[in-house]
Amino acid sequence: MSITPPIPLRDEAAICLFGDVKARKTNGADLTKLMSPPVSVPNPYGWMRSDKRDSQKVLDHLAIENKYTVESQSHLESLRTSIYNSMLSKITETDFTAPTPNGRFCYYTRTFAGKSYKVHCRAPRDSSTLQPCNVSNDPSKPVMEGEVVLLDENVLAEGKSYCSVGTCKPSPDGSKLAYSLDTVGGETYDIFVVDIATGEVVDDSVKEVDAAVLWGDDVSIYFNRMDEEHRPYKTMRHTLKTDPSADELLFTEPDALFWLSLGKSQDGEYIFIESASKETSEVNFVHLKSKSKSKLGCVAARRSKVLYEVESRNGRFYISTNVGGTPNFHLVSCPAEANCEDKWEPVTFAGERIFDGENSRVLDGVCCLKSHMICYGREEGMPQIFVAKFDDGTDNVGAFERLEFDEDVYDVRGFKNLEYDTDKLWITYESMTTPQKTLKVDLAAGGRDLVKETVVSGYDPSEYECKRLEVLSRDGKTKIPCSMVWKKSLRKAEGTPQHVHLYGYGSYGACIEADFRSTRLALLDKGMIFVIAHIRGGGELGRGWYEMPNGAKYKCKKNTFYDFVDVAKSLVDSGMTEPAKLSAEGRSAGGLLMGASINLEPALFRAAIYGVPFVDVAVTMCDCSIPLTVVEWEEWGNPNEKEFFDYMMEYSPMQNVVTDGDYPACLLTGGLHDPRVAYWEPMKMAAEIRHQKAKNGNKKPILLKIDMAAGHFSASDRYKYLKELSFEYAFLLDAVGL
């Protein structure tokens, strides 16, 4: 029995205005560049927007859409159950993270079978118990002797449909715990401080703020308040057990292009208040050892298109920056004082700059220890960790090396390095075939110890294979790296088309790494090859892979979509797959990738998952009242200006759905409370594709699934998350005939 998809009201008279719209806020836009008179664009589903999520008309239609999606996929119930059980069987439900030391204690989290959320724990530090590889997963036994539960998220989640802890940090003396909590999914948090010994709440007066919480001393915390567009814009200091009305305002950022973020130096000396747009930053600091903690210093006043980040060690700032217009960040240092930009000098080893900002070696950030500096970056297209060793008692780099690993394709990153005076570095390592390992690196002696290894039941890495390949873009010169993994026994002979699932993102300079996902086995074990396209717009090959003129932002954004389509075509042309066996997936800005790429070549794919997709780009980016809009102008451009309007209208998915396109089966997902990509974007896109498809008789399903109790990051409950993923994978496998 066929089920008729919902047909929402389409208001052909509704429009969205772009340009100099007097009734709309401009929030710092260049008024001389706004189009005048304004230009109108059809917005037939504009009624779907409900900022407060309280329109009964909208809620009723979402209920109808969700019901249709569930009913249309009801024949897949046994497949979903099978996928879910398979995913669940690969997870060690009762488990723990590697305990990492901080002062008198080691900190870690635990999970327990049947419980949806993490439990935060600590135990007295004891060097003999820092190697817990063989600790029993018996939930009745502690991971370490003297274990104390700091925070049980399962208790917080009782009676709630959503629960997310943003920050969880002990006070410097270890007596109290501060955490931030969101129980809606809208990424607005309340802060709680509890006494660890008694479990009593010491302070719960700070409400509706950003997720970050930092301790200054044992009685004060730092946090950011948000404006009505959900932008962190005021940094506050709160003294415990005092009225929030008495909180001290330390910094206000009036420019809507800039967001505030907080950080604390590894040596515990400074609170850093970073005010940053996508292209410009400024860092102010509070010296915690100073008598006057109300006095802010500015490291370097903001300069257009100059980005920088700051760490502290031994009375000096270590700064990663692109000042001077270098393609990537280089590394400088200077005395730890305000207005020090004229004293920045390169950090060198053997007379050579260890990071010069050029293209061969990429610097992402640094972590300063007492005797070493850890530099996180990229080289040869892969994430890397570099270690600089300082000569005893000096600021001179006496040794510099890159950590080496056996596999060619992998992901490596810092773990929870909580201490400053240490010669131990905690890292995680994984690849598309190697489950995550937590390693302790001895920076003095050079050895590595395996501290914790993720156990994947029934998984044998020798049965799978991964490799890196390059695809030539349509420009004839750009080589697009791709990472792929498959099960050896199910790999077909060369030239025989096989099912391939192509994943991509390609925005903000973010990297999609070749990591391990046990949930991915649900596809691999069905004979599917999983491919990650490291397309332009990401940062896999440095900032030049992201920035203009050859990357993919502003008016070269279409390179992202062209690269993805070119990779897909290459996989087909090589005989690895064919359109009937090719599926695609992306989330958030990766959902934009799905929308734009499939509009370009709808017949190239058989199925697609648009996860929380940013698909109504032009209409969203013209309206300052929508969260994230203004700060995003330095990513996409402001479509109220003609040059960006014209370019954006050429790729914005909602405006480019092809009437005669043979669209794949599509599943569009969203969260009702998502502040990053509003629920109405996938809602509108699903309606638009259906409307255009109806003209050519395309019968492939277009499904909308909105989680009414979640935000941008899907379900917070780990079991619910697996069920949601099982739904998506069952849809995918069914659509491609597996």
Side-chain angles (χ1 to χ4, degrees):
M1 181 181 70
S2 63
I3 304 173
T4 303
I7 303 176
L9 170 69
R10 184 176 172 90
D11 184 356
E12 299 292 358
I15 60 171
C16 177
L17 292 175
F18 292 77
D20 189 5
V21 181
K22 302 301 182 184
R24 195 164 62 204
K25 292 195 294 185
T26 55
N27 281 29
D30 186 341
L31 301 183
T32 65
K33 294 183 178 180
L34 301 184
M35 293 184 292
S36 184
V39 175
S40 66
V41 170
N43 189 23
Y45 300 113
W47 65 267
M48 293 179 174
R49 174 178 170 179
S50 173
D51 289 354
K52 294 183 178 180
R53 279 67 174 170
D54 59 356
S55 165
Q56 196 58 51
K57 179 180 179 181
V58 170
L59 295 175
D60 288 346
H61 186 75
L62 286 176
I64 293 171
E65 289 279 5
N66 281 340
K67 181 181 179 182
Y68 165 70
T69 295
V70 170
E71 290 180 352
S72 69
Q73 301 292 287
S74 61
H75 64 291
L76 301 177
E77 183 175 354
S78 63
L79 177 59
R80 286 196 298 271
T81 300
S82 175
I83 293 172
Y84 175 79
N85 290 336
S86 175
M87 288 180 176
L88 192 60
S89 72
K90 299 292 189 294
I91 295 172
T92 304
E93 293 183 74
T94 299
D95 204 357
F96 60 95
T97 60
T100 50
N102 185 15
R104 296 180 293 120
F105 301 97
C106 285
Y107 292 83
Y108 50 96
T109 61
R110 299 188 67 178
T111 53
F112 298 93
K115 293 192 174 183
S116 300
Y117 296 91
K118 295 183 293 187
V119 178
H120 300 259
C121 302
R122 78 176 182 192
R125 181 175 188 159
D126 184 331
S127 60
S128 66
T129 60
L130 288 181
Q131 302 289 336
C133 299
N134 298 315
V135 171
S136 168
N137 283 329
D138 184 341
S140 67
K141 295 181 179 179
V143 171
M144 296 175 63
E145 291 301 320
E147 179 176 284
V148 171
V149 172
L150 301 176
L151 182 68
D152 187 341
E153 294 184 16
N154 297 285
V155 174
L156 299 180
E158 288 178 358
K160 301 177 179 67
S161 57
Y162 184 90
C163 179
S164 174
V165 172
T167 298
C168 183
K169 291 183 179 294
S171 59
D173 67 359
S175 67
K176 294 177 283 293
L177 185 79
Y179 66 92
S180 56
L181 181 65
D182 169 19
T183 56
V184 175
E187 298 179 51
T188 298
Y189 293 80
D190 296 338
I191 296 175
F192 299 84
V193 179
V194 298
D195 183 297
I196 292 175
T198 65
E200 295 180 359
V201 176
V202 174
D203 195 316
D204 61 355
S205 61
V206 178
K207 307 288 187 184
E208 298 184 348
V209 298
D210 192 28
V213 186
L214 293 177
W215 289 94
D217 51 29
D218 296 315
V219 295
S220 62
I221 56 174
Y222 293 76
F223 63 92
N224 286 327
R225 290 205 175 276
M226 298 182 289
D227 63 14
E228 58 186 14
E229 277 80 45
H230 212 78
R231 177 182 69 101
Y233 81 118
K234 285 184 177 181
T235 298
M236 315 293 296
R237 178 170 49 234
H238 173 71
T239 301
L240 301 184
K241 300 181 181 180
T242 65
D243 193 298
S245 64
D247 288 352
E248 184 176 6
L249 173 62
L250 296 174
F251 185 81
T252 301
E253 177 50 71
D255 191 333
L257 272 173
F258 288 74
W259 275 36
L260 296 183
S261 60
L262 294 175
K264 192 173 185 178
S265 61
Q266 189 78 2
D267 60 10
E269 294 274 337
Y270 299 94
I271 295 287
F272 293 121
I273 305 169
E274 181 184 57
S275 185
S277 71
K278 302 289 185 184
E279 298 181 339
T280 303
S281 65
E282 176 182 273
V283 178
N284 287 272
F285 62 88
V286 177
H287 191 183
L288 295 173
K289 303 297 174 65
S290 169
K291 292 182 180 179
S292 176
K293 295 184 179 61
S294 300
K295 182 179 179 181
L296 288 185
C298 181
V299 175
R302 66 190 66 178
R303 291 163 282 181
S304 179
K305 298 189 184 302
V306 173
L307 292 164
Y308 70 95
E309 296 178 352
V310 187
E311 245 287 26
S312 164
R313 174 192 172 272
N314 197 30
R316 294 184 69 82
F317 287 149
Y318 287 82
I319 300 168
S320 50
T321 179
N322 68 342
V323 68
T326 54
N328 290 297
F329 282 15
H330 54 278
L331 185 61
V332 299
S333 72
C334 63
E337 58 189 44
N339 305 311
C340 57
E341 57 266 41
D342 293 336
K343 299 179 181 180
W344 292 4
E345 54 188 37
V347 177
T348 63
F349 168 63
E352 299 290 333
R353 302 178 68 155
I354 60 176
F355 289 94
D356 60 12
E358 297 305 318
N359 288 317
S360 60
R361 182 180 289 168
V362 178
L363 176 64
D364 292 329
V366 301
C367 173
C368 289
L369 307 179
K370 186 175 182 179
S371 57
H372 295 79
M373 178 168 55
I374 314 303
C375 304
Y376 300 103
R378 307 187 73 82
E379 201 165 36
E380 301 168 354
M382 302 300 299
Q384 308 288 355
I385 297 178
F386 305 85
V387 179
K389 184 182 186 304
F390 294 103
D391 290 333
D392 291 345
T394 75
D395 301 310
N396 299 319
V397 176
F400 183 73
E401 65 173 344
R402 189 181 88 180
L403 300 185
E404 300 295 335
F405 303 94
D406 293 335
E407 295 178 278
D408 295 328
V409 183
Y410 59 85
D411 181 25
V412 63
R413 60 189 68 193
F415 187 51
K416 298 177 181 178
N417 293 287
L418 306 175
E419 297 188 303
Y420 172 70
D421 188 2
T422 181
D423 59 5
K424 304 298 187 292
L425 172 67
W426 302 74
I427 65 174
T428 60
Y429 173 88
E430 60 194 294
S431 75
M432 297 184 87
T433 57
T434 303
Q436 188 180 91
K437 301 176 181 180
T438 304
L439 306 171
K440 181 173 66 173
V441 180
D442 190 324
L443 299 174
R448 301 180 192 179
D449 293 325
L450 175 64
V451 179
K452 183 76 169 67
E453 185 171 18
T454 300
V455 176
V456 182
S457 179
Y459 174 72
D460 181 354
S462 69
E463 295 180 357
Y464 300 82
E465 187 173 345
C466 67
K467 75 171 185 178
R468 194 89 147 186
L469 59 84
E470 290 183 332
V471 170
L472 191 64
S473 176
R474 65 187 63 193
D475 63 17
K477 58 184 179 180
T478 302
K479 294 180 179 179
I480 308 159
C482 301
S483 301
M484 56 189 297
V485 62
W486 63 91
K487 190 168 187 176
K488 294 178 184 178
S489 63
L490 299 178
R491 185 68 188 267
K492 297 185 183 300
E494 186 174 348
T496 303
Q498 186 165 350
H499 289 90
V500 171
H501 188 53
L502 182 61
Y503 188 91
Y505 187 75
S507 289
Y508 304 110
C511 302
I512 303 299
E513 306 293 7
D515 59 4
F516 183 86
R517 305 285 177 92
S518 64
T519 52
R520 194 181 290 151
L521 297 173
L523 302 181
L524 303 184
D525 290 348
K526 291 285 188 178
M528 189 171 269
I529 300 171
F530 191 96
V531 181
I532 301 172
H534 304 288
I535 50 184
R536 280 177 286 180
E540 287 88 345
L541 297 180
R543 291 189 67 83
W545 200 240
Y546 162 58
E547 300 275 12
M548 288 181 70
N550 300 314
K553 67 180 291 192
Y554 284 137
K555 291 171 67 176
C556 59
K557 184 61 202 173
K558 285 190 278 188
N559 284 341
T560 300
F561 320 129
Y562 294 154
D563 284 0
F564 193 80
V565 168
D566 290 347
V567 169
K569 286 184 173 180
S570 175
L571 297 174
V572 171
D573 292 344
S574 70
M576 182 185 297
T577 191
E578 59 189 9
K581 295 180 178 180
L582 179 60
S583 56
E585 179 182 3
R587 286 183 55 82
S588 194
L592 161 62
L593 172 68
M594 293 300 100
S597 300
I598 290 169
N599 283 347
L600 288 172
E601 295 282 351
L604 186 56
F605 305 92
R606 183 62 182 82
I609 297 174
Y610 299 58
V612 289
F614 178 39
V615 284
D616 202 10
V617 182
V619 170
T620 293
M621 292 308 301
C622 79
D623 189 344
C624 297
S625 68
I626 298 176
L628 289 175
T629 296
V630 177
V631 295
E632 297 285 303
W633 284 345
E634 289 188 347
E635 181 74 23
W636 320 98
N638 181 355
N640 294 301
E641 301 174 10
K642 180 172 174 53
E643 63 170 326
F644 294 116
F645 173 81
D646 290 344
Y647 187 79
M648 204 175 289
M649 290 298 291
E650 292 175 3
Y651 72 78
S652 183
M654 270 296 295
Q655 285 73 40
N656 288 281
V657 176
V658 184
T659 301
D660 58 352
D662 183 14
Y663 274 75
C666 298
L667 173 62
L668 297 91
T669 68
L672 181 65
H673 302 289
D674 190 342
R676 298 175 184 243
V677 178
Y679 72 86
W680 57 79
E681 299 219 13
M683 187 182 183
K684 293 169 75 173
M685 188 68 179
E688 182 66 19
I689 298 175
R690 280 196 205 127
H691 175 73
Q692 299 298 344
K693 271 171 25 69
K695 299 175 182 178
N696 63 19
N698 188 329
K699 300 299 184 183
K700 299 189 190 79
I702 306 298
L703 306 178
L704 176 68
K705 192 170 189 292
I706 300 297
D707 190 327
M708 305 301 284
H712 191 66
F713 299 104
S714 189
S716 59
D717 178 319
R718 62 175 177 156
Y719 294 107
K720 181 182 175 184
Y721 171 77
L722 289 181
K723 288 180 179 177
E724 296 291 340
L725 191 58
S726 299
F727 188 97
E728 294 176 9
Y729 280 6
F731 159 82
L732 188 69
L733 293 170
D734 179 62
V736 299
L738 269 180

